[in-house]
Amino acid sequence: MFLRRFLPDRFTCALIATVALASVLPCRGATASAFNVLTDLAIALLFFLHGAKLSREAVVAGMTHWRLHLTVLASTFVMFPLLGVLLRPLLSPLVTPDLYLGVLFLCTLPSTVQSSIAFTSMARGNIPAAICAASASSLLGIFITPLLVGVLLESHGQAGMSWDAVGAIVLQLLVPFMSGQVAQRWIGRWVDRRRAMLSYVDQGSILLVVYTAFSAAVLQGLWKQMPLPVLGGLLVVNAVLLAIALLATRYGARLLGFRRADEITIVFCGSKKSLASGVPMAKVLFAGHPLGAIVLPIMLFHQIQLMTCAVLARKYAAKPVEMKAIAEARR
């Protein structure tokens, strides 16, 4: 039972299998073009359904807790990018330049929605605030992430973000999202009743992007340029970023005077990075870069954050029981 906590879930296994398939049988030529079109359609559908699933009532109910939301947004869009830049002299020698570019991109991404809420619930945190904070982060990330990527690309010695890329983000991600919000009036209940089924759309679109990205990267010699020590270095880089984020959000929340339920929400919403948003955004923003190296850091970070936060959520949930047991023992 203990070891099962650390075993990868089915989706992570599917990601690994997809990377293996792309490494052995990469798509090319007309097949690659067809996969690119299919991927674009899947991403548009993904963000349309996210718009249709997002509960306006939950957002309005949680918006009053503005200090918590500002703290989560500051962690996601200020602390993480600063960590990526400030730690670059220390961490970049562990990986290739393209991989560290992917790490910088990881630092600009919004928080997850589903897993942030799930872990907050598991740890007995402020669930309405988590719904609002994670949803706001995901929505604002459509605007903020491209701007942050432009700034960090320039600091990394790359060309800045073009308005064409920003326009592509708006067209491919924001327009479907807003269309889903408009359609929520008619299809919102239908979508809500089929959340489990529609999760396959989330996962399927990510797998499509990963397969096309790694196919192109393999054809460009990705694995020849990435020995095992470099992959080990990437693991260390991601672990360091997550550890600092978890410590900063936990003790920062306490210094700011948040109660325990709000601290839990800040920890699980402020330390996460979204694979579901990151992979589609990378496809648009890094069209001229080796995409496999760009998305590999977020794929690895995704698994690390799930395993770590699962253990942390259980500890948070068990703490009231432990405190009660101690109090009863003292009587």
Side-chain angles (χ1 to χ4, degrees):
M1 291 292 293
F2 177 77
L3 291 176
R4 288 178 65 182
R5 299 180 183 179
F6 299 94
L7 292 176
D9 57 17
R10 291 182 180 178
F11 180 55
T12 301
C13 293
L15 278 174
I16 296 171
T18 301
V19 172
L21 178 62
S23 301
V24 176
L25 191 64
C27 63
R28 63 184 81 200
T31 304
S33 299
F35 265 99
N36 283 327
V37 173
L38 181 61
T39 300
D40 289 342
L41 293 174
I43 291 171
L45 178 61
L46 167 67
F47 276 81
F48 174 81
L49 292 175
H50 273 303
K53 285 191 294 184
L54 181 60
S55 170
R56 298 175 197 173
E57 291 79 8
V59 173
V60 172
M63 283 179 66
T64 55
H65 207 341
W66 60 269
R67 287 182 66 243
L68 183 147
H69 302 318
L70 286 179
T71 303
V72 171
L73 291 174
S75 173
T76 303
F77 296 119
V78 178
M79 180 188 73
F80 261 103
L82 285 176
L83 285 176
V85 172
L86 295 176
L87 294 176
R88 183 167 59 185
L90 177 65
L91 299 180
S92 61
L94 300 176
V95 294
T96 65
D98 285 333
L99 276 178
Y100 202 78
L101 186 60
V103 172
L104 290 177
F105 173 61
L106 158 70
C107 292
T108 69
L109 290 175
S111 179
T112 61
V113 178
Q114 290 93 339
S115 61
S116 293
I117 296 168
F119 284 128
T120 299
S121 175
M122 186 188 304
R124 302 176 185 176
N126 188 337
I127 299 173
I131 293 172
C132 182
S135 300
S137 176
S138 181
L139 177 58
L140 291 174
I142 297 176
F143 302 97
I144 297 175
T145 294
L147 298 177
L148 288 175
V149 168
V151 173
L152 293 183
L153 278 177
E154 290 182 351
S155 72
H156 199 65
Q158 304 285 340
M161 188 59 55
S162 67
W163 285 107
D164 290 340
V166 176
I169 283 285
V170 171
L171 181 63
Q172 191 171 355
L173 306 184
L174 182 60
V175 170
F177 182 90
M178 296 307 297
S179 299
Q181 278 282 283
V182 173
Q184 186 187 64
R185 177 179 178 182
W186 298 281
I187 68 171
R189 292 182 180 178
W190 183 88
V191 171
D192 191 62
R193 289 195 300 267
R194 290 164 175 79
R195 283 177 179 262
M197 182 187 72
L198 294 177
S199 66
Y200 290 110
V201 177
D202 289 20
Q203 298 176 5
S205 61
I206 294 171
L207 294 176
L208 277 172
V209 175
V210 168
Y211 178 67
T212 54
F214 272 86
S215 292
V218 168
L219 293 176
Q220 295 169 6
L222 172 67
W223 298 125
K224 295 179 181 178
Q225 304 166 12
M226 197 175 300
L228 285 177
V230 174
L231 291 176
L234 180 59
L235 178 64
V236 172
V237 170
N238 279 338
V240 168
L241 285 175
L242 181 60
I244 294 176
L246 288 171
L247 290 172
T249 50
R250 181 175 185 175
Y251 292 105
R254 294 179 183 181
L255 286 174
L256 292 172
F258 285 101
R259 59 193 181 93
R260 188 171 185 276
D262 292 338
E263 174 195 320
I264 291 170
T265 301
I266 291 169
V267 167
F268 289 115
C269 293
S271 64
K272 295 290 197 62
K273 290 296 179 177
S274 174
L275 179 67
S277 297
V279 174
M281 283 186 177
K283 185 177 184 296
V284 178
L285 295 174
F286 295 94
H289 294 274
L291 200 56
I294 299 296
V295 300
L296 189 59
I298 179 60
M299 289 172 58
L300 185 59
F301 190 87
H302 171 78
Q303 181 59 30
I304 296 173
Q305 72 182 7
L306 287 180
M307 292 190 298
T308 305
C309 290
V311 175
L312 187 59
R314 289 188 182 96
K315 288 187 176 180
Y316 266 121
K319 195 168 184 180
V321 178
E322 293 172 358
M323 295 295 290
K324 183 178 179 180
I326 293 172
E328 291 176 352
R330 289 177 176 175
R331 291 177 183 176

